[in-house]
Amino acid sequence: MSVPADHTNVVIVGAGPAGLAAATELKRLGVGSVVVVEREREAGGVPRHCGHPPFGMREFKCVLTGPSYARRLARRAARAGVDLRLQTTVVAIDRDGDDPAVTLTSPEGVSAVRAERILLATGVRERTRAQRFASGDRPLGVMNTGALQAYAYLERLAPFRRPLIVGTELVALSSLLTCRAIGAEPVAMVETGAGPTVPEVYMMLPWLLGVPRFYSAEIVDIFGAPRVEGVTLRLAGGGTETIACDGVVFTGGFQPEATLVRAAGLELDRGTLGPSIDQFGRTSDPRIFAAGNVLRPVETAGWSWEEGRRVAGFIAEDMKGLLPVHQGAARLRPGPGVRYVVPQRLALGGGGLSQLQLRLGARSEGRLVARGKGRELASAPVAARAEQRVLFRSDLLGPVSGDVTISLEER
Amino acid sequence: MSTADIAIIGAGAVGCAAARRFALEGAKVVLLEKGADLLSGASKANSAILHTGFDAPRGSVELACMQEGRREYLAIRERMNLPLLETGAIVVAWSEAERAALDGIEAQAIENGVTDVRRLTAAEIRLREPELSRSVLEALLVPGEHVIDPWSPFLAYLIEAKTQGAELRFSTEVLGGDFDGEVWRLSTSTGEVRANAVINAAGLYGDRIERLLLGDASFEIRPRKGQFVVFDKAAAKLVRSIVLPVPNERTKGVVLCRTAFGNVLVGPTAEEQEDRTRATVEEATLKGLVARAVEMVPALAEVDVTAVYAGLRPASEEKGYRIRVEAERRWISLGGVRSTGLTASLGLAALAVRIYSEIGQGHAAAKDPVWPKVPNIAEHLPRDWEQSDHGEIVCHCELVTRREIEIALDGPVPPGDFGGLKRRTRAGMGRCQGFNCNARLASLTAGRFAAPLAKDEAA
């Protein structure tokens, strides 16, 4: 499809914390025209439907609920002069030509915008029931936390009354709180691991709410028609237990919303399933940047906001020709015990994001060791749970080229 | 109470096609469906292939109906805005034993009148399917095998039937009935229905309907479950043809093919079971299907799974279709119709009309078709999001607009449940499986379904 394109300086895809922070920062830095396209009816991204605190400590120095935080971010962007286009979906990125372009559909129809730089800030979603191959019938009432939150906080509806919650990442606790908000009473929390993904102390919440927790348990059957009637679990000991419920919430297992990355033919990282970037947020096409949770599963809104702001600074520098060349970057790869490393490339000359972001494969303690060309470049002690943020100062590596592997050496 | 010419039991593929055909013939049709929507049973889950009949049993009713049904589909589809993804199929030999079987399959294809088949060498296969595993030895190309939208045709047929005066009764289960020599009196969950003749298109319950209404069953349904895995749209560029295995006695085997919606599917399994209601997906089986797909097309290992589903085929204790005609009692059973029913449905409908002309009471004169056009939901043809004033994009993954949803909900044959809306629009069927749109759909469909998405308002 080819339609005549408008021109702008920067197009940002996604009006979540990262996209709005980047847009606001670009305007503050004097970039002329910044267009943010957002497919939803409201700006704000995932916090729009997290109707509970804490949001905004980093950005507004106060504790807000998700929706009021989302509204504040959007207001701030609008005041800065950002051109925010809601209900506008990017259907394609065209990388031919000197400047890349996005093809859009909105209630007005199809249009296109060409821009000097594009920033992808499309966020994450949770792994679906299908992606988890969960066995059983496929009745109404099976969903992710994101959908449950949208029922509760956007549509003011209750999809169920007595759901079973799968997973123990932080977002599982959001599921619990969201259930409370709609007057639903979760019947159980089920985790395949031997313990919770969040720190044990967080599990005070389900304990206080009287929600039974099952560890080393997995779903072997979801049954019911047309709505969920129950779930059968295989328990740690090998026995089974059937729990009556009218919904199942699959929480967490986040995955970058990287459909555009793939469709545009940009390099995708196998560890994060997001775009591969360098320390300035540049994807494999140096005119296209990425920031926020599209980079990796998963960070807080505050982190994504800060990342969006930082990458906006790099975009502004790049438009003045101040970033180092894109070619010849060192490649960072996760070694044994490490799930992913972001950024995946380090351009020569330093600068940019000063911390590498990693996740470990499982809860462990030991040393992170970076090796390149057969020798150890740097190491740092580490102790973290599976989904916990792990940082590694990139300046420890010194000037690097070629392949660098970061591995966990357990104590 | 008025008496219909024909009562059709079951609004699956066969029942919908029969309802259209008889309505066009001038008959007064009443269609009785237990589910809340058309295609609620076996017909909702299949591999969506429009077959040529190249491998169907020689001289069988199945072959004749498939070929007649296929011809009619191709003749009418453009007038009803029904898609055709012209993929062709390759029957692939992965072993020497399978290679040896290709001769027989080719001979059977030619005997079945599918004469444009030809053999492909490994090198030719690589040219046509560069992503297919290099372990392929040889293949038989069947250019006429195509992929269609497995749901929209039947919606189009029912809209046509309704326009021609057919009465469509959903959520209506046949509970009993008898024939007094003149008229069938069917007692149903929504009241008595009278008809001069009955067509049994009850799919998975075809034998039970016979036993209930005729006193005995001429066949026995043996449900055969098929599980499928659907890959993300990123997979569509990896495979061009329908990739068929060399079939065995029981099943056509696991197929890998694109869908009309821009995905790639792998399946089905063939699992015998007693239960006629539960079509469960199972983790180990689904993972096995993914592994099989990756064996065939290694690059699929890098592609996400979008959806999984399972369906029950109404197989019987014999391989062929089970046609029963009771002239005295003005009864036609179109039973034992398995996965080929998608292709054969229009042929079966035509067959039923021919049988009826021998045994029936006659009816008013034939009518001119009105050719209702159904909204396109196929990926390769223009979609509503490309037009202005579509309201909003509700389902982002499948780019389903609010206007498409409203048109479906307010259409002449509105969906009776959420599955029906999904089949009409694709809403919620994409890679996020409703993460983004499920709640919005609950609002947009409030008050429309007997089983609503939202249980109630938030407390």
Side-chain angles (χ1 to χ4, degrees), chain B residues 233-281:
Chain B
K233 292 175 197 285
K237 62 179 189 295
L238 300 177
V239 53
R240 173 179 159 194
S241 318
I242 300 163
V243 180
L244 302 170
V246 170
N248 63 34
E249 261 307 290
R250 212 161 47 92
T251 121
K252 287 178 182 292
V254 171
V255 176
L256 183 78
C257 65
R258 286 186 284 157
T259 72
F261 314 113
N263 300 82
V264 166
L265 69 76
V266 62
T269 55
E271 306 163 56
E272 316 284 338
Q273 65 176 47
E274 292 286 315
D275 194 323
R276 300 182 191 216
T277 53
R278 291 197 77 192
T280 58
V281 291

Side-chain angles (χ1 to χ4, degrees), chain A residues 160-321:
Chain A
F160 37 57
R161 284 294 172 211
R162 293 174 59 73
L164 178 137
I165 294 173
V166 182
T168 58
E169 289 179 48
L170 208 46
V171 65
L173 302 179
S174 171
S175 253
L176 277 182
L177 293 171
T178 308
C179 283
R180 298 267 296 169
I182 56 171
E185 291 178 13
V187 295
M189 284 184 89
V190 176
E191 166 63 48
T192 51
T197 310
V198 291
E200 198 72 54
V201 59
Y202 284 64
M203 297 306 282
M204 285 290 280
L205 179 64
W207 180 79
L208 285 168
L209 297 175
V211 179
R213 280 99 41 223
F214 293 86
Y215 296 106
S216 303
E218 56 177 329
I219 291 182
V220 291
D221 192 17
I222 296 171
F223 57 90
R227 197 172 288 285
V228 176
E229 290 161 22
V231 164
T232 301
L233 303 178
R234 185 181 299 122
L235 302 177
T240 60
E241 178 157 342
T242 295
I243 299 174
C245 58
D246 62 358
V248 180
V249 189
F250 285 99
T251 71
F254 284 97
Q255 175 178 343
E257 180 59 88
T259 305
L260 283 173
V261 175
R262 209 188 258 276
L266 300 171
E267 190 180 291
L268 204 69
D269 179 58
R270 284 183 182 196
T272 59
L273 297 179
S276 157
I277 58 160
D278 67 9
Q279 72 268 43
F280 304 103
R282 289 183 293 195
T283 68
S284 56
D285 182 330
R287 303 165 302 175
I288 301 178
F289 290 67
N293 275 334
V294 70
L295 293 181
R296 92 258 105 190
V298 58
E299 266 297 350
T300 60
W303 181 277
S304 294
W305 178 85
E306 176 62 21
E307 198 165 58
R309 213 172 58 86
R310 295 290 308 281
V311 170
F314 305 142
I315 292 173
E317 283 178 38
D318 189 35
M319 290 166 74
K320 295 179 194 151

